[in-house]
Amino acid sequence: KQEVTQIPAALSVPEGENLVLNCSFTDSAIYNLQWFRQDPGKGLTSLLLIQSSQREQTSGRLNASLDKSSGRSTLYIAASQPGDSATYLCAVRRSEYGNKLVFGAGTILRVKS
Amino acid sequence: GAGVSQTPSNKVTEKGKYVELRCDPISGHTALYWYRQSLGQGPEFLIYFQGTGAADDSGLPNDRFFAVRPEGSVSTLKIQRTERGDSAVYLCASSLTYGSRFGTDTQYFGPGTRLTVL
């Protein structure tokens, strides 16, 4: 059974810092990995999706990497801003033919101004 | 355009009662998913529909939980004899298709229904 773990559970940083969120998964047979952002009272917003054949994806100040063989992914946020404060979730998808996502518990990020 | 909507946004009920949670997917999306998110946890898969049929209900915790999608659009998650442990945020998502390498299976999430069982 696939298990996804995210470290740290919570993180508080001053504005402007670069930071790294970690995600690990137990079964390396994944189709893709996705990072989501969740704001209180709102749904999940997809940030980045990395296919199993890719090593990284970038969008603006966000960069996500994937090391499928070791079961790890990182989300790098550059020059953090207070608006980045949210819960960040990673989710893995097992198969091209199935769209069931397995989520980690998330990292609660607070960026202080 | 309109995203996934869920009603009610909050539901408070008493132990033993019956509740229904509604999900309106993005128009034209054939696949619909229900997840449950307990406090401090990530969402857990409950069930998904392809059209009107439940194609995978392996995540439903027990037979008190049931979901329907009679016309292939709106879905209702039904919980009988609610228990305090059912308290969670119930998230709905939809995608244009289910299972595709072309990105048409990207899931779009609604804001969720927060269920509190007293």
Side-chain angles (χ1 to χ4, degrees), chain A residues 13 15-17 19 21 37-39 61-62 77-88 107-111:
Chain A
V13 300
E15 183 177 4
E17 266 202 17
L19 58 99
L21 307 182
R37 169 184 174 138
Q38 185 173 31
D39 293 281
R61 295 183 293 109
L62 305 180
I77 303 177
S80 58
Q81 303 171 357
D84 295 331
S85 299
T87 297
Y88 291 80
T107 294
I108 302 171
L109 173 65
R110 180 185 171 211
V111 181

Side-chain angles (χ1 to χ4, degrees), chain B residues 2-63:
Chain B
V4 177
S5 63
Q6 293 185 246
T7 54
S9 56
N10 280 285
K11 176 70 176 178
V12 180
T13 190
E14 294 179 344
K15 180 175 179 293
K17 298 289 188 182
Y18 168 84
V19 297
E20 291 189 350
L21 311 179
R22 176 186 168 108
C23 173
D24 280 87
I26 294 173
S27 178
H29 280 195
T30 63
L32 185 146
Y33 316 78
W34 284 99
Y35 293 83
R36 177 169 74 171
Q37 186 173 23
S38 300
L39 190 63
Q41 301 297 317
E44 291 181 292
F45 171 81
L46 296 176
I47 185 171
Y48 104 87
F49 290 87
Q50 181 68 1
T52 60
D56 184 349
D57 63 358
S58 61
L60 294 178
N62 51 59
D63 61 6

Side-chain angles (χ1 to χ4, degrees), chain A residues 38 43 93 96 99-100 104, chain B residues 33 37 45 98 101 105 107:
Chain A
Q38 185 173 31
R93 172 178 164 181
E96 175 181 354
N99 205 2
K100 194 162 46 174
Chain B
Y33 316 78
Q37 186 173 23
F45 171 81
Y98 179 85
R101 68 176 67 188
D105 55 352
Q107 294 183 37

